[in-house]
Structures are given as structure tokens and as C-alpha cells.
Amino acid sequence: MNKDIKEFFLNSTHITHRKYEAMRALCVEKIKAKDVAKRFGYSPFSINAMKRDFVNAIKNNQIDSRHFFVTKNPGRNPDADKAQLKVKIIRLRKQNYSILDIKSALQAEGNRVSHDYIDRVLSAEGFARLPKRTQIERKLQFSKIIKAPRSHSIDWNIDKGQLFHSERGIGILPFLPLLARLCVDQWIEFAEYPGTSELSSVQNVLSFIALKLAGHNRYSQDDLWAMDRGFGLFSGLNVLPKDGTLSSYSYRTDRHMNRRFLKAMFEQLKKLRLLSSQVNMDFTAIPHWGDASVLENNWSGKYGKRLKSVLSVLCQDPDTGIFCYSNAEIRHRNEAECVLEFVDFWKDGGRKPSCLIFDSKFTTYENLEKLDKDKIKFITLRRRSKKLLAELHKIPDEEWSSTKVEGPSRKHMRLKIHESEILLNKTTRYFRQIAVSGNGHEKEAFILTNDRKRTASQIIRQYGKRWNVEKGISEQIEFFHLNKLSSSIVVKVDFDLTMTIAAHNFYRVIAMDLAGFENETSGSLSSKFFDNGGQFKIENDSIIVEMKKKRHLQILMEAIKKYKNPLAGKKKN
């Protein structure tokens, strides 16, 4: 026995043990380097180099007892955790849950796993792929796994120090510095949106904005975000409210609240010089596909026919693409008065818009005269008729003039124009009419305006920018799912439209600071910058956010540096 113990110390096999015995023999027993090298199987050069490095490390306090003697920390064997994880994965698959559902359930319990790991476990156990299921079947299946937690304000003390993961909610967090700079919380308070016993009005409205920024099309699909802590953090909550809460909240809003919210947004954007005094105006029909719809029939350009829908008006700045006003409570009987209602909205701040641009069917000739009496410039089209075209064709060629107009791609078009002063039906004032030929259409266009200072070329160019509002509406339909109306209750639609244009404007404002991406659509910006996941951790006085790597992420980080410390001096709610 004594011989075995002696051999254990003299004939060391582990490299750390050998180094320790070699340094002890060299430094303590004062044995020569060549003898130490011969005893432990080193060359003399290796022993001298080892001593040199060892002495330097001792001088720099880089070596202590842990260098040779490893102390194990008490705790579970990692393999034991993996074994339990495999048992959970197998148990969930036996209940016919997909890899995505299994991953969501495990992450909700604090287990971070990848799709590949779950797939390897299931493949090793011989499980086949599941048959394709509908969204309803998946939602019912998922609801049996885990119940989403109740939404409440973040408890900064309880959540402090914990690491939270997010699939998509982390991506929209860079909008928070912008919202703080724009004072969006003040817009919400000024609007007097309702709160609840557990959630403030700011938390409720930010929940809607979070889903809009992420491009979610239906609030009923809460299985995509109901347990995502990243979305909750955006609104100062543990998680966002469930679909029933969001749906019932929008019924508690009214047009007066939405108008005050738009007014606060309008004033702030004007203050930051993001809005000019020229406005493009247009209608859009938001269709409803319910069987028992009581809505009026309106023309939908997207579908090329009249259908049951909510008629809405949208007003947009032609230069920045920002929407400054919306109203979804338009009926056929007050459709023509929208332009005057918008003027009243603008004049609440004590000023008037400098020029309104809209198409021929937007309002009546009588209202054009009212705008002229109010000294508000407008540019619109006159409705063509056979009689009007016949009179135009009688004009001699020498009375036409030629002008060059710059197009949207800086390409110039050579147009033929004829200017005249006309008196419209049911009006007492003369207006400037510019007949335009050679603009790519089969028939001539008739532009009506009361602006006599700008040249015909400038008027035509300005009206051409009106197509920007149609581009913006198309963008809202595609990314913000404006055409997926889930209710025929107009007050709910008006609130949803208000949140939609707010989200649209946030994308437009932040795009101005993304060099080279100023003209990208919201959908493209979301894909490149904001559709992202990651993790975050709450510290004493800060929140540390780690996002997944993306090619354009550095550009986004540079852009939001100008919003650094926007909440300085403010307390966390």
C-alpha cells in the first residue's frame, strides 16, 4: 500500500500534476534543471522556460493555488439537465405538438433550446413529422401546453438580474428612444385614452403600437406574442395584454380621443419641422368581409369594385411621407365636407395649410369656393365630360404652349398646356384651369387651382406628388394590413387606423436617420432592421439589451445615437 501511494506522487500522469512536481523539485528541493528534466520527462530547455514563465506569473499575481488544484463548484450535473429536457421534449411530442410549439413551451419555462436540438432529439427517438394543421388547431393545441401570464407592470425588483429571451419583441425596442424624443406618452395623456385598474393608458396604447411596429395583422393571433417578454418591455409590462383585452379596449375609445391624439402628434411633428404646410388628401376603403355587415358600399381601388367597407380619409405631407390626419368615420352624406373638417383641424393651432392637393371627386365645387374665400390654396382635377373635351379640341394649336416638367425620377417630360380662367357651376368665383396634354394618358387632364403665383410647370409637378399618398396607403395595406378589417364597428376601426398611421410615421421619422434607406418602405425597413430577436437583462439603473447579429444593425445603432439618454431626468413608470 505504501509503495502504491509513493508511486502516485513520484510517477504523475496528469500534466498539471507533473508541472507542479517539476516546479517543486526545482524551486523547493533545489534540484538541477537537467535532473528534473530527466525525472519528469522534459528537456532542460522546457524546464528553464517553464520556470521563467512561472516566476513571471507569480510576480504579476497571475497564479494561485487554483492553477494546480481545481475546486469543483457544487451543483447539478449538466447531463442531468439535458436528460430532463429530453424527457420534456418527448412528452410534448407524444401529445402531437410541433417543434415550434415545443420550443415556445420550453422557453416559457426558462429552458433555452434551438430548433435543431429539438429536431435531433425527436429524430433519435424515431418520431415522424406531424401532419399540417390549421391556425385554429395549433392555437387550441398550444393553449393546452401553458397558459400565458397575466399582463401587469414590470416589477423592477423581482425581475432585476434575470435574463429574458425574445423571438421578435427585441427588434422594435430601438423605437423607444424615438418615442421618448417625440413625447408620445404626452400624446396619449392629452388624448385622454382610458386606463384600467392594472394598466395605464400609456401601457395600453403602447401595446397596440408595439404590434403595429412588428407588422402583426390580427390581435387574435396572440400565440405569436402573448408570452414574449420583449414586446412586454416595450410597453413597460411583463407581457402584452391578451387579444380579448386589446379587443375590448378599442371599444372604449371614441373619435374625440383619436382626434386629440392626432392633434398632439401633428403639433409635435410640426415643431420638429417634419411637416410642411402642403398636404395630399385621399380616401381609402377598408373592406369588411363579414356576412352581416351594415357598412356602406365604397369603391376599392385594390379590388377594382365597390364593396362593404369603412371609408377613411388620409392626409399626408408630400415631401416626408408622414401622415398628419386620418378619420375612419366618413359616411356618404359627409364625404364632401372632409376637406373643411381637416382645415378646422389644422386651424386649431392658429394657422392655415398653404396648399391642399386632392383628386376630382374629393369634394364639391361649392367647397372649393369656400377654400378660396378662406384664402387656402388648392390643386385638384376637374371632372372630364364629353362637352368639356369637345370645347378643348376647338382651341387652335397656336393658343397652346409647351412646358417642361420634371418627373419623379428627375426625367423631364415635354407637355402641351392651355391656361384659362373659368367659372364653375354653383360658384361665383373664377378659378385657374390648366389643360394638360401629352402626359401619357389618352385624354387630356384639367387641373383646377386658385394658386396664380406658381407657374403651370410647378402646379403640375406639385399635383404629381399626390401619388405619394396612394403609395403610402398601399404601404399601409401591405405591411400594416389595413385591409384586414376584423370588425364593422367604426369606432374600433378609427382607433386602429390612428395607431396604424402613428406606427407608419415612426418608421418614416427613423428612416430619415438611416443613411441610404430614407425611401425604403416600412416593410423593407422592418425586414432589414427591426425583425429581430435577442435577450435583455434588467440591472439596477439600466436595461442591457443584446440583439441577434444582422447586416444592417450597425447602421441602426449609429442612427439612434442622436436619441441618447432621451429619458434623462425621468423616472421609470
Side-chain angles (χ1 to χ4, degrees):
M1 178 65 72
N2 293 335
K3 183 179 180 181
D4 294 338
I5 295 175
K6 184 177 180 180
E7 288 296 324
F8 173 80
F9 287 101
L10 295 180
N11 298 322
S12 54
T13 57
H14 196 277
I15 185 170
T16 307
H17 188 186
R18 289 175 61 201
K19 285 184 178 180
Y20 173 79
E21 293 293 346
M23 290 298 99
R24 188 180 187 281
L26 193 66
C27 300
V28 178
E29 299 177 11
K30 303 298 182 181
I31 300 176
K32 293 182 179 180
K34 63 178 181 179
D35 295 331
V36 173
K38 185 177 181 181
R39 179 191 296 183
F40 295 99
Y42 291 105
S43 69
F45 299 103
S46 298
I47 289 294
N48 288 327
M50 193 184 302
K51 181 180 179 181
R52 179 198 63 210
D53 296 338
F54 186 76
V55 171
N56 290 335
I58 290 290
K59 288 181 180 179
N60 297 327
N61 296 321
Q62 295 178 351
I63 285 185
D64 55 18
S65 61
R66 289 174 295 179
H67 187 77
F68 295 110
F69 305 102
V70 179
T71 303
K72 291 186 177 182
N73 295 322
R76 280 186 179 180
N77 187 343
D79 291 336
D81 292 335
K82 283 189 175 181
Q84 292 182 6
L85 202 57
K86 288 181 180 179
V87 171
K88 291 180 180 179
I89 293 173
I90 295 170
R91 174 173 55 82
L92 293 173
R93 173 44 70 91
K94 287 181 178 179
Q95 299 175 30
N96 290 329
Y97 295 114
S98 67
I99 292 178
L100 289 174
D101 293 340
I102 293 173
K103 180 180 178 182
S104 299
L106 294 177
Q107 284 187 339
E109 295 176 356
N111 299 308
R112 190 179 183 187
V113 291
S114 66
H115 294 82
D116 292 338
Y117 177 76
I118 298 174
D119 182 59
R120 289 197 301 269
V121 172
L122 296 177
S123 298
E125 294 295 326
F127 285 98
R129 294 186 64 180
L130 292 177
K132 191 173 181 179
R133 298 168 296 167
T134 65
Q135 286 285 350
I136 296 177
E137 289 173 339
R138 290 190 60 193
K139 185 173 180 179
L140 292 175
Q141 201 87 15
F142 188 75
S143 63
K144 297 175 184 178
I145 299 177
I146 187 170
K147 186 177 180 181
R150 187 179 181 87
S151 181
H152 59 75
S153 298
I154 292 179
D155 192 323
W156 302 101
N157 294 321
I158 294 179
D159 292 337
K160 184 167 58 178
Q162 295 189 52
L163 188 64
F164 298 101
H165 303 280
S166 172
E167 284 296 309
R168 292 187 63 196
I170 289 291
I172 63 171
L173 293 181
F175 277 103
L176 284 176
L178 173 64
L179 266 61
R181 179 196 179 207
L182 296 176
C183 305
V184 175
D185 57 328
Q186 297 179 18
W187 304 358
I188 299 169
E189 292 171 355
F190 178 76
E192 298 180 2
Y193 281 124
T196 64
S197 58
E198 296 186 10
L199 307 181
S200 68
S201 59
V202 174
Q203 291 171 332
N204 276 301
V205 175
L206 287 183
S207 298
F208 285 93
I209 292 175
L211 296 178
K212 285 294 181 182
L213 292 174
H216 283 290
N217 59 344
R218 289 286 180 88
Y219 300 139
S220 59
Q221 296 179 347
D222 61 350
D223 56 327
L224 299 176
W225 46 261
M227 293 185 290
D228 195 312
R229 291 299 301 261
F231 282 112
L233 178 63
F234 184 90
S235 306
L237 304 170
N238 60 330
V239 293
L240 292 186
K242 290 183 276 294
D243 61 323
T245 303
L246 294 175
S247 180
S248 61
Y249 181 85
S250 57
Y251 288 118
R252 298 173 58 197
T253 63
D254 58 39
R255 175 59 192 169
H256 299 292
M257 297 176 186
N258 298 333
R259 194 178 190 277
R260 287 194 293 266
F261 180 89
L262 293 170
K263 188 63 182 178
M265 178 181 70
F266 173 77
E267 295 297 337
Q268 182 65 22
L269 294 177
K270 272 206 313 183
K271 183 179 179 181
L272 296 175
R273 297 183 179 179
L274 296 173
L275 290 176
S276 64
S277 56
Q278 300 191 81
V279 183
N280 290 335
M281 307 182 71
D282 204 355
F283 289 116
T284 183
I286 307 176
H288 179 249
W289 307 108
D291 295 331
S293 177
V294 295
L295 300 175
E296 296 176 334
N297 283 321
N298 298 288
W299 174 261
S300 173
K302 179 177 176 61
Y303 297 98
K305 61 181 180 180
R306 299 179 69 86
L307 42 79
K308 294 285 186 180
S309 57
V310 173
L311 186 63
S312 307
V313 63
L314 290 169
C315 303
Q316 184 190 50
D317 185 278
D319 297 322
T320 63
I322 291 175
F323 285 98
C324 57
Y325 179 79
S326 69
N327 187 359
E329 297 189 355
I330 307 299
R331 308 291 288 182
H332 290 167
R333 60 177 180 273
N334 63 347
E335 180 179 342
E337 306 304 316
C338 288
V339 62
L340 303 180
E341 291 176 4
F342 174 70
V343 169
D344 292 338
F345 172 85
W346 191 297
K347 288 167 65 175
D348 284 347
R351 298 182 181 180
K352 300 177 183 178
S354 63
C355 186
L356 303 178
I357 303 111
F358 41 84
D359 69 6
S360 60
K361 297 182 180 180
F362 194 82
T363 190
T364 61
Y365 291 154
E366 294 92 328
N367 286 336
L368 294 183
E369 187 170 28
K370 291 179 181 179
L371 293 176
D372 191 42
K373 289 180 179 178
D374 205 12
K375 297 182 179 180
I376 297 175
K377 304 297 182 185
F378 65 84
I379 303 174
T380 185
L381 289 180
R382 187 180 180 185
R383 300 169 194 172
R384 281 189 296 248
S385 64
K386 291 183 179 180
K387 181 180 178 181
L388 189 61
L389 290 172
E391 292 176 353
L392 185 67
H393 293 159
K394 294 178 182 179
I395 300 175
D397 291 342
E398 58 270 16
E399 294 185 14
W400 288 79
S401 60
S402 179
T403 186
K404 189 166 61 174
V405 178
E406 181 182 347
S409 302
R410 298 203 172 189
K411 293 182 179 180
H412 291 78
M413 298 183 297
R414 181 69 65 175
L415 302 177
K416 291 178 61 178
I417 64 171
H418 179 270
E419 293 196 49
S420 59
E421 293 286 327
I422 62 167
L423 183 66
L424 299 174
N425 294 334
K426 300 180 182 180
T427 62
T428 59
R429 289 177 176 241
Y430 281 87
F431 295 102
R432 180 185 181 187
Q433 176 178 280
I434 305 173
V436 182
S437 179
N439 58 343
H441 296 277
E442 183 180 352
K443 297 180 180 179
E444 293 82 358
F446 297 86
I447 295 179
L448 281 178
T449 182
N450 59 347
D451 188 345
R452 293 174 174 82
K453 292 184 178 180
R454 284 189 280 191
T455 64
S457 177
Q458 291 172 331
I459 295 291
I460 296 170
R461 168 68 175 158
Q462 190 63 47
Y463 186 82
K465 289 185 178 182
R466 196 192 70 82
W467 300 110
N468 290 341
V469 70
E470 296 188 0
K471 178 183 176 182
I473 293 172
S474 176
E475 179 181 335
Q476 294 201 29
I477 290 174
E478 296 301 326
F479 180 68
F480 297 108
H481 310 282
L482 195 61
N483 64 332
K484 294 189 177 180
L485 183 62
S486 59
S487 174
S488 60
I489 308 300
V490 178
V491 64
K492 182 175 181 178
V493 179
D494 190 58
F495 175 76
D496 188 69
L497 179 61
T498 303
M499 296 298 103
T500 297
I501 70 166
H504 170 93
N505 290 345
F506 298 147
Y507 268 104
R508 296 272 53 81
V509 174
I510 207 167
M512 296 176 188
D513 296 318
L514 298 173
F517 299 89
E518 297 87 351
N519 298 320
E520 296 275 350
T521 65
S522 299
S524 178
L525 291 172
S526 176
S527 176
K528 293 176 180 177
F529 296 98
F530 304 105
D531 187 5
N532 202 358
Q535 60 188 19
F536 69 91
K537 188 176 183 180
I538 299 174
E539 298 292 354
N540 292 328
D541 57 351
S542 61
I543 300 173
I544 301 173
V545 178
E546 296 180 1
M547 305 177 71
K548 293 180 181 179
K549 290 182 179 179
K550 297 194 76 170
R551 289 187 301 167
H552 302 91
L553 192 57
Q554 186 59 36
I555 301 174
L556 176 61
M557 295 298 103
E558 291 293 328
I560 63 176
K561 279 184 179 179
K562 64 184 300 183
Y563 311 140
K564 188 176 181 181
N565 297 329
L567 297 177
K570 293 188 177 183
K571 296 181 179 179
K572 291 185 291 187
N573 292 325

